[in-house]
Amino acid sequence: MSNTRAVTLRFLAEAPGAEGPVTLGQDNVLRCLRNEQPSREKNEPSSLNKQATWIIPDGADETRCLDALRTLAERHAALRTVFPGAGGDRLPETQRQNVDGEFTVQVIALDPDEDPAARAEAFCWDERCHPFDLTAEFPLRLGLLTRDGRPVLLAVVVSHAQLDGVATGLLFKEWMALTSGDELPPPAGPTPIEVAEQERSSSGRRRGRAALRHWERILAEEPSAVFADDRVRSAENLLHTLGIRTPAGAAALDRAVRRTASSKSAVLTACYAALAAHRAARSTVVMAALSANRHRSVLAEHIGTLAQDALLVLDTDCPDLDTLIARTQAQALSGYWHATFETERLWKILDDSSLGRGARFVRDVVLNDVSGTVPEEIAALRPDPAADPDLSWYPTEPLPTRLMINIWRTSGCLEISLHAHPDVLDREETEHFARALLRLIDLAGQRNVTLGPDGELAALSNLPVGRREKGRWQQVGTNWVDLDALADRLRTVLDVKDVEVTWQNEELTAVVREGCTLTPTEAHTAVVDALSWRDTLMAPQRYVLPAGTGTGRD
């Protein structure tokens, strides 16, 4: 059993203490953390707080490592930030940057045969099971692993309320410099309070309002769900996960970038969207992009959290992949520009859109490109896979989506993971999707690829295509609705037996002949509340009830 001792480090910053409003990114994470706490099971790691393993340069002893950690705390306001008033259902409105304080490093002496990576993973798992005290706690939990008195790895658990993935990667680069004996220039990025002040300036508020208009338009006009077909029935969100590692894929991606004069992100996103659209049997893919708002150069070196989503609309109805890559690059720029907003106002827009449209937006398709947050020094330590591509299955996990791609690394070895809901792709189909994605990237590096009904995707992918044959399917606006499934859902929600759902005169109508005492407005609210992850359903636009007739949206 490893021997552990706690070392307490005190820090004193040159910059003065300060207090100010929270940033929009902090507010977003704080809200998500508040919602996570009641549902977290005992001994289950937080899905929001993150973990990392930092390597240690040759020659760095324990003293140098501890001094480096103290220096990081003194350099960066985010590491000295707490949130007075946080906890329970309360949302803090202010942040405080302390000038001094202390934190603890667990120094873990490894047993002779103990695997450092496995011990670091175990440390991180255990520490992520306990919420951070946001009112007082240092935002890093640190385990310095040693063997024979020499440091070998640093296990790091990160509070997402103060630091996002990019910021953690920036800290790692400074850690490597400090533990190598190098000196660092003064920090280049703004502090969290300075970011909050900019967000509340006239230009920042204009940007926030524009972002909300961007989301509001998409929520009103575009498909609420990408996948709506005979197979999509379950409201559960347990997804299987496939990891893909391929050096050949990284080389192919480099060729595609050179040939198309676009970014790696645009190529990967376009290929992913084309295959998702093919599986969904529809041309429009509404995609949530995580880690999306470091698009402005002034924030590139910011140590803090900027965690908010971008919303992209990709129209795959185009003749070829090159056109789609160009569209994707333009849409990504627009989406990322509109990824800084007031979360509370966005949630209000989401609720109002659900009631007004009768459909709840679901993040059916998700992109999470964190390749810039994993330092290449860490990624390059992993040996190349024995097979190329290497496909590895991981345990299933609950995720609020139907299809998600994580992009972990793009240089030297392409490393991605696919998370798929069984209603969308079973395990065999997920492997087909992964291989089709790699094949599409490879072809994109050689030539243009034709899309459309007579294009190459069907033969290339060997994927199922969404079929709408087993119910009474009707397109309502940009959504596909199974009228029979909707009638069944209304019987359950309204607790009635006799429901008829019709589509007449461009209007979705529910007729309930007896047993319902609700008004149309009450019925509509109840139905909308019961639509979460019911991708094939929409609430009726008109209700004929014993208590009266109306739209339910008055």
Side-chain angles (χ1 to χ4, degrees):
M1 184 69 180
S2 305
N3 295 317
T4 302
R5 57 187 171 87
V7 177
T8 299
L9 300 179
R10 290 203 59 82
F11 59 85
L12 175 62
E14 294 182 2
E19 189 163 316
V22 298
T23 68
L24 297 177
Q26 289 171 338
D27 177 71
N28 184 54
V29 175
L30 290 166
R31 290 175 185 276
C32 293
L33 284 168
R34 180 188 63 177
N35 292 342
E36 182 190 55
Q37 295 307 323
S39 62
R40 185 187 299 177
E41 297 177 4
K42 187 177 181 180
N43 295 325
E44 176 183 320
S46 167
S47 63
L48 288 166
N49 295 327
K50 305 303 179 183
Q51 67 186 64
T53 302
W54 292 358
I55 59 175
I56 296 173
D58 293 339
D61 59 13
E62 181 180 315
T63 298
R64 183 183 288 180
C65 290
L66 296 178
D67 286 344
L69 292 172
R70 180 188 292 109
T71 298
L72 291 178
E74 292 173 345
R75 280 174 59 84
H76 296 298
L79 296 179
R80 295 179 276 108
T81 293
V82 294
F83 300 95
D89 291 334
R90 293 172 297 176
L91 279 171
E93 296 181 356
T94 61
Q95 58 178 309
R96 184 173 68 238
Q97 294 171 183
N98 293 324
V99 67
D100 61 1
E102 64 182 33
F103 61 96
T104 300
V105 180
Q106 302 295 325
V107 181
I108 303 167
L110 296 168
D111 294 335
D113 298 328
E114 194 169 9
D115 178 17
R119 184 66 183 87
E121 178 72 21
F123 173 89
C124 292
W125 179 280
D126 291 341
E127 293 298 330
R128 283 178 57 206
C129 289
H130 311 292
F132 279 85
D133 178 359
L134 299 176
T135 66
E137 189 176 351
F138 191 68
L140 300 179
R141 292 175 180 160
L142 302 157
L144 183 64
L145 279 58
T146 67
R147 174 162 281 141
D148 300 327
R150 305 295 297 181
V152 294
L153 278 180
L154 181 70
V156 184
V157 172
V158 182
S159 170
H160 205 1
Q162 287 97 331
L163 298 162
D164 60 18
V166 173
T168 305
L170 293 171
L171 285 179
F172 169 77
K173 291 180 179 179
E174 293 194 356
W175 156 265
M176 289 295 291
L178 292 169
T179 51
S180 297
D182 299 334
E183 293 187 0
L184 293 173
T191 69
I193 287 179
E194 289 170 343
V195 171
E197 291 171 346
Q198 194 286 322
E199 290 170 344
R200 284 159 176 77
S201 68
S202 57
S203 62
R205 292 183 183 276
R206 283 196 302 272
R207 184 178 294 110
R209 290 192 295 269
L212 292 174
R213 289 195 298 271
H214 170 85
W215 278 76
E216 192 168 24
R217 182 196 64 77
I218 293 173
L219 293 171
E221 299 175 2
E222 304 295 348
S224 301
V226 175
F227 299 107
D229 56 56
D230 294 340
R231 285 178 48 168
V232 180
R233 288 289 182 265
S234 174
E236 300 296 325
N237 62 352
L238 195 64
L239 278 64
H240 44 245
T241 301
L242 179 66
I244 304 103
R245 300 182 66 226
T246 166
L253 182 59
D254 287 339
R255 290 192 297 271
V257 167
R258 289 193 298 270
R259 193 189 68 77
T260 61
S262 57
S263 68
K264 290 182 179 181
S265 179
V267 173
L268 282 166
T269 304
C271 293
Y272 174 56
L275 292 171
H278 177 71
R279 162 60 188 89
R282 66 186 315 151
S283 61
T284 301
V285 176
V286 179
M287 183 184 301
L290 314 185
S291 305
N293 45 7
R294 283 186 182 262
H295 56 280
R296 289 189 292 140
S297 59
V298 69
L299 297 176
E301 301 296 319
H302 171 61
I303 302 294
T305 190
L306 298 171
Q308 293 186 286
D309 292 358
L311 199 59
L312 283 58
V313 181
L314 302 180
D315 180 6
T316 68
D317 184 13
C318 50
D320 51 58
L321 185 61
D322 283 10
T323 302
L324 181 57
I325 291 172
R327 285 183 183 179
T328 300
Q329 195 144 286
Q331 284 296 315
L333 288 173
S334 175
Y336 296 158
W337 183 256
H338 295 110
T340 303
F341 45 76
E342 293 182 48
T343 300
E344 185 175 19
R345 291 185 63 188
L346 177 60
W347 287 4
K348 177 67 163 54
I349 288 171
L350 284 163
D351 287 341
D352 290 348
S353 172
S354 298
L355 282 171
R357 193 174 181 185
R360 285 200 173 277
F361 169 72
V362 291
R363 296 198 308 182
D364 259 8
V365 179
V366 174
L367 165 75
N368 188 28
D369 185 354
V370 292
S371 57
T373 73
V374 181
E376 188 59 29
E377 296 93 330
I378 288 284
L381 290 177
R382 297 188 67 186
D384 285 343
D388 191 357
D390 174 69
L391 305 182
S392 303
W393 285 103
Y394 294 94
T396 57
E397 59 179 307
L399 287 171
T401 185
R402 298 288 186 183
L403 183 66
M404 178 175 179
I405 185 171
N406 285 300
I407 304 171
W408 303 106
R409 182 186 178 195
T410 59
S411 298
C413 182
L414 179 61
E415 298 187 17
I416 59 180
S417 59
L418 281 173
H419 306 261
H421 193 286
D423 284 5
V424 173
L425 298 171
D426 62 25
R427 287 169 68 97
E428 181 180 4
E429 292 163 349
T430 303
E431 289 198 15
H432 288 322
F433 192 102
R435 294 184 186 279
L437 181 65
L438 298 180
R439 179 60 176 151
L440 198 53
I441 294 168
D442 183 49
L443 287 177
Q446 302 174 39
R447 59 176 175 80
N448 203 352
V449 180
T450 59
L451 301 178
D454 300 321
E456 301 175 64
L457 279 188
L460 177 73
S461 66
N462 195 26
L463 286 174
V465 177
R467 306 293 183 191
R468 304 178 185 96
E469 300 169 347
K470 296 181 180 178
R472 282 193 301 139
W473 288 95
Q474 176 62 51
Q475 188 165 7
V476 180
T478 53
N479 281 8
W480 279 101
V481 181
D482 181 348
L483 302 186
D484 289 339
L486 175 57
D488 288 341
R489 189 66 181 154
L490 291 173
R491 292 184 187 98
T492 299
V493 174
L494 302 180
D495 192 23
V496 296
K497 295 181 179 179
D498 189 358
V499 175
E500 181 183 5
V501 176
T502 62
W503 173 256
Q504 293 180 341
N505 301 321
E506 299 295 311
E507 191 170 54
L508 191 61
T509 299
V511 179
V512 180
R513 293 183 174 82
E514 59 181 0
C516 181
T517 60
L518 301 178
T519 67
T521 298
E522 292 168 340
H524 185 71
T525 301
V527 172
V528 170
D529 287 345
L531 287 183
S532 293
W533 296 103
R534 307 282 177 175
D535 299 7
T536 65
L537 306 182
M538 287 182 70
Q541 297 160 316
R542 185 172 182 80
Y543 295 81
V544 180
L545 306 173
T549 298
T551 65
R553 306 171 195 187
D554 301 329

